[in-house]
Each structure stands twice: as structure tokens, then as C-alpha cells.
Amino acid sequence: MDFGPSDEPVALKILIAGGFGVGKTTLVGAISEIRPLRTEEVLSDRGIGIDDVDGVEGKTTTTVAMDFGRITIREGLVVYLFGTPGQERFWFMWDELSYGALGAVVLADTRRLTDCFPSIDYFEQRGTPFIVAVNCFDGADRHEADDVRIALDLDADVPVLLCDVRRRVSAKTVLVALVEHSLKVLTASQS
């Protein structure tokens, strides 16, 4: 992948993954320069027993396909953001969404930390570079990044950041960390 100046436009694809209610839609909305495409549907009684709302009782909608946003870095360099659905019944979408991705942000909620294991497993099994971004929800206990790394049994080279995805600057920091990590991983694999 050539990241230098060129006449050809360059598009980077980044996935935003994680468990149900972790903030994927919020992150895409906070940083996208366009009004994000959202495939939100109202939670219904048909999800009772399927959708685990413990810890996110106030959640009323869910992503059923994807979220999509765009960031123009400069002329000819665009980042496309794809938020994955969080519930297991929509995971069939992941292979299509992840095709050609530079890397992924796995959002984590310390109140429901085990919900991010399927995302981590997915990207580890496919060799997709990823970082973990702990979305620090109001009222949730705060944990150090290293403590989260230990709890998730992550390799030392996988970045773990604390963030608030409602804030554009925090979302930007997360995405920059992912791009830097992905470039490091891709460069090392080519050596």
C-alpha cells in the first residue's frame, strides 16, 4: 500500500467493532464529516432472551447491519469507517465488512468486558491489526489500560487506550493510534 503522494486517490477502511451497546455508532457519529449512515432499529420484545441489556438498560436501538462514516484527511486521502453490528445474530456481516480493512478498533466497556472477546478473537484469527479502546462510560469504574490488557490477555504490542467516544478529539486519538499500529504491523510483516 503506497501512502505517499500520488495521482490516485487512497481510501483507508477502518472497522469499529465490539459488543452490544459499547459505543460503535457513537464513535462513528462523533468523528464522521458526513451524516453517518446508520442501520438502527428499535429493540423489541422479540429480542428478549437474545439481547443482553445488563449494564446498558437505557439502550433502545441496535445496529442491524452497519454504521458508515467518512473522514477526508486531505485531497486524495479518505478514511471510511464501518461500525459492525454487536450482536451474535448479525456477525455474518463481519466477513463482508472486514474485507480490505487496514485494521480495527475493538471498543470495550469495563462493565461488560467479556463482550469484546469475540471481536478480539475474530481479528486475531484473521491477522487483522487491531487496538482496544476502552470507552469510559459515566458512572463506570475506571481501570488502567494495563489492567484491561491483562484481563483481556492481549499481547504486549496491542495498544490499549482509554477514551470517550462521544468526544471528537478522543475518537480521533483512537483512530490515529489504530493507523499507527496498523502501519507498524504491516511494515514489520513486509520485512
Side-chain angles (χ1 to χ4, degrees):
M1 206 180 278
D2 180 23
F3 292 96
S6 130
D7 294 335
E8 295 295 318
V10 175
L12 304 178
K13 181 178 187 180
I14 293 177
L15 296 181
I16 312 298
F20 175 66
V22 76
K24 300 176 296 290
T25 299
T26 303
L27 187 150
V28 172
I31 194 77
S32 179
E33 69 189 20
I34 62 170
R35 187 168 61 105
L37 168 68
R38 294 186 171 137
T39 58
E40 294 278 295
E41 291 293 332
V42 175
L43 290 172
S44 69
D45 55 357
R46 293 168 66 188
I48 295 173
I50 298 171
D51 297 329
D52 179 9
V53 295
D54 288 341
V56 289
E57 291 83 3
K59 186 164 176 58
T60 59
T61 61
T62 187
T63 300
V64 296
M66 68 175 180
D67 298 309
F68 174 78
R70 183 185 74 211
I71 305 166
T72 302
I73 304 300
R74 60 173 165 73
E75 185 177 336
L77 179 57
V78 178
V79 177
Y80 295 116
L81 304 172
F82 290 84
T84 65
Q87 295 112 304
E88 185 175 353
R89 68 180 183 271
F90 300 122
W91 288 351
F92 67 91
M93 300 278 308
W94 284 39
D95 287 337
E96 293 298 322
L97 291 175
S98 66
Y99 181 77
L102 175 69
V105 173
V106 175
L107 279 179
D109 177 351
T110 58
R111 300 170 301 178
R112 302 161 47 110
L113 197 56
T114 58
D115 289 0
C116 68
F117 279 122
S119 300
I120 291 169
D121 291 344
Y122 181 89
F123 298 120
E124 282 181 340
Q125 290 170 7
R126 285 157 181 79
T128 302
F130 70 94
I131 67 168
V132 173
V134 179
N135 194 7
C136 298
F137 287 89
D138 295 337
D141 291 339
R142 304 287 177 181
H143 300 276
E144 296 296 321
D146 286 337
D147 294 335
V148 173
R149 174 188 311 289
I150 291 166
L152 295 175
D153 192 28
L154 295 172
D155 291 339
D157 65 331
V158 176
V160 177
L161 295 84
L162 304 180
C163 65
D164 180 344
V165 300
R166 298 171 297 181
R167 297 196 169 108
R168 183 177 179 86
V169 68
S170 188
K172 178 181 174 183
T173 299
V174 167
L175 296 178
V176 168
L178 172 65
V179 170
E180 289 173 346
H181 176 65
S182 296
L183 291 175
K184 180 178 164 186
V185 169
L186 294 169
T187 301
S189 71
Q190 293 176 352
S191 305

